[in-house]
Amino acid sequence: MFKNWTNIFIYHIKNNKFFTVLNILGLSIGIAGLIFAILYWNDEHSYDKWNPEKDKVFIVMNDFGGGNIWTTNSPITGPTLNASTSYLDKYCYFRTNYTTETIQYNGKIELIDKIFSAQRSFFSFFPFEFIKGNAKTAFHDRNSMVLSEETAAKIFKNENPMGKQVKYADQIFVVRGVYKIPDRSSVKPALVTPVIEDELEKDKDNWGFSYGLMFKLKKQNDTTAVIKNLDHIFLEKNYKVQAKEVGLPLDEFIKQYGDPIKARLLPLTKSRLYQGNYAFPEKNANLQFLKIIMGLSILILLLSIVNYINMATANAVKRAKEVGVRKIVGASKNQIIAQFVFETTLMTLFAVLLALVIVELSLPFYNAFLNKDLTLIGTQFYLQLILIFFFVIVVSGVFPAVYISNFETLKVLKGNFSRSKSGVWLRNGMLVLQFSIATLFIIGSFIVHKQVNYMIDKDLGFNGSQVMDIVFRPIKGKNQYDRYKTIKQELSKIKGVEAVSAGLFSIGSNENSWQGLHYKSNKEIITQQMGVDFGELDLLGIKILKGRDLNPKLATDTISSALLNETAAKTLMEKDPVNKEITFGGQKYKVVGIVKNFHYIGIEYNVAPMIFFHIKSVSWMENYMRFISVKISPENMPETIAAIDKFWKAKVDQEYPFEFDFVNKNFARTYKKYEDQRNLFALLNVVVILIAVFGLFALASYSMERRLREIAIRKTLGAETNTLLKELSKQYVVFCIIGFLIGIIPAYLLMQRWLENFASRIDIPLLPFLVAFVSLLFLTLTIVLAKAYQVTKVDVLKYLKYE
């Protein structure tokens, strides 16, 4: 039986090569798209699966209200909770960012990225496999250092690193262990030190929120009790103490300064896909992008299946007599269904194999697009692939098989292949669905393109095209601000350098620090503090709307003068905020100017309240400088950069490489993920239109081949070609319009929701809908008229000789 079915299958493939290729190609494209999405989905959901402690580990987050949720914590929180409750097994503070620094060994200097600092309990939260040493003795003291396998090989080559001394951050450290990093870990440090413990010791009575904090609970379901205890600590140890210090009753203090901080616990297993401030240095995945890829891939597979069904039913006309003969010789309906499902299984198998080839060949480009290292290896993936295989067989195989098995024997043997109207409506409905999906993709692609271009072209409030952001590494024992003043003088002498200044921030990065701003009895506003040197705002092209900039000739401008951006100024609820006195971080400032809003972190976010004051206004800021801004002339830029590079290596830092970026390029990276979405939509748009064209061609072929006798009769009665073309194409234009009208509704709603992610966004224009309609109508008429013209050239005698 199977041999006979296989022979029949091969016979029909030979006689319908074009339809077979379209069927397999359409299915393989849809399956390949879903395989790509599944690989990405599996990768992002596989982080920390290796970790045996993952279900008990939680990251502590703090809700300050107004959408301000921080992943940083106070040094007081962990020890206080640990002493007051029995729910905690361990806690661990860590830095939320990696650092890049040089490591010196035997006179050789190696630049190491991803240097991480955490408390000694770190390896009980992330129990990496130790190749040398062990987790219990790794942090023998605060001068201990543990290296990844790759870092150890980079620094020590073939030497045994255990017990070796290296110089890092002007201190001597001893290597106590070497670990192997799992592929899918939320933290993947090249090097770990416990130097954070020195900082925690200094800040042990400070409520500043500066460190990441993890808890390991004894029981996974104790989270509610822990949150309750954290809220109690914030109220008793922080709010009540502060209220007493300022001499206010607690309720009045809350009214003026806002509600107490509310704690949240983020499970380690969900930290990778958390949407918000990232908890770990590896940052978060783009969950929205992941969902978009998965959703679009499922839509494309659905489109491919609909396309296959349409082609299968279109091709059924040619096999109607075969079915009739098989029924005459005794074949049952179930046998015919089984035969056609068997053929669909073979077609799907070929499509899956071709899809795997497409994925394997395209995977390097896909990995480059996502900045990933995805592979086709993995039992979980193959299980999902088998499920896709059977899903496609069931959905795309059963309907055509049932449809063909229901042919009435006598009618098909007489040459009448007509089916019920319900079957016709179902096929036409599938064509309408294809038009609807194509409409969604065309409109979506157009709107995403417009939004991303709007972000690229928008006035950001600053001009960073000629401004270099140079990394300014601190040197132990030397005042950063004093070093900067000397460097500024020397840089200004270099030909091509137009201006030099500095700020405690880097536009486009996540370098930021926040405190509460107070004015009269207004509620506290969490405000980003922007320490600057004279001329920094002018260098960046940031405009002053009211008042003045900081002036080096006025002594008060390094002590008690400040500027607010437009957002912060509005919080004062004053018609003219200039010359008003505010309190920020417990210090009094006089507002001397209002700065025009500019985008700092990314254009998709609202511009936060900002306060600008001189670096010397706050003592700790002098040694916290990490960037120097240099504006250079557009003429002879390579020569200017080379001269700065030479000076830097000779006079500033001989150990650390000269590292810089242009401010505009640094900021452009903040919307790269949206550029990726734009490119993805454009690519999938081509795929969807291609599959829709296959489906339209199949249904048009099916419909017109059924009407060959009608066309022959019309031609005999004198019908002109133009009349026939109009008659044959009319229904497809109607289907196109119906599909378009259905598709614009989900397209509008989904794109409106996508645009809600942006603080600065376009309004959905009419043009994408017009483009989608014209494009679909043009494709429909082109394909249908071409096929219609072909069938109007029918040989009349061939179809009327039996009449």
Side-chain angles (χ1 to χ4, degrees), residues 101-114:
E101 190 56 85
T102 55
I103 303 292
Q104 297 184 37
Y105 172 67
N106 275 355
K108 294 182 179 180
I109 300 173
E110 292 287 349
L111 184 67
I112 306 298
D113 292 321
K114 293 191 173 183

Side-chain angles (χ1 to χ4, degrees), residues 679-704:
N679 297 336
L680 175 71
F681 250 112
L683 176 63
L684 295 184
N685 201 26
V686 173
V687 172
V688 165
I689 291 174
L690 186 64
I691 295 175
V693 166
F694 290 171
L696 179 60
F697 178 81
L699 198 58
S701 300
Y702 165 77
S703 176
M704 292 177 192

Side-chain angles (χ1 to χ4, degrees), residues 445-484:
S445 179
F446 196 103
I447 292 175
V448 169
H449 183 82
K450 290 282 288 183
Q451 173 63 24
V452 174
N453 286 350
Y454 170 77
M455 293 166 66
I456 295 172
D457 298 335
K458 188 179 185 295
D459 179 12
L460 302 173
F462 66 89
N463 183 5
S465 59
Q466 297 166 228
V467 180
M468 299 171 64
D469 225 356
I470 302 175
V471 176
F472 184 34
R473 188 177 72 106
I475 295 177
K476 190 174 181 181
K478 293 187 178 181
N479 182 281
Q480 277 287 85
Y481 186 72
D482 291 340
R483 290 179 62 215
Y484 155 71

Side-chain angles (χ1 to χ4, degrees), residues 108 387 398 636 698 708:
K108 294 182 179 180
L387 291 175
V398 173
N636 302 317
L708 287 173

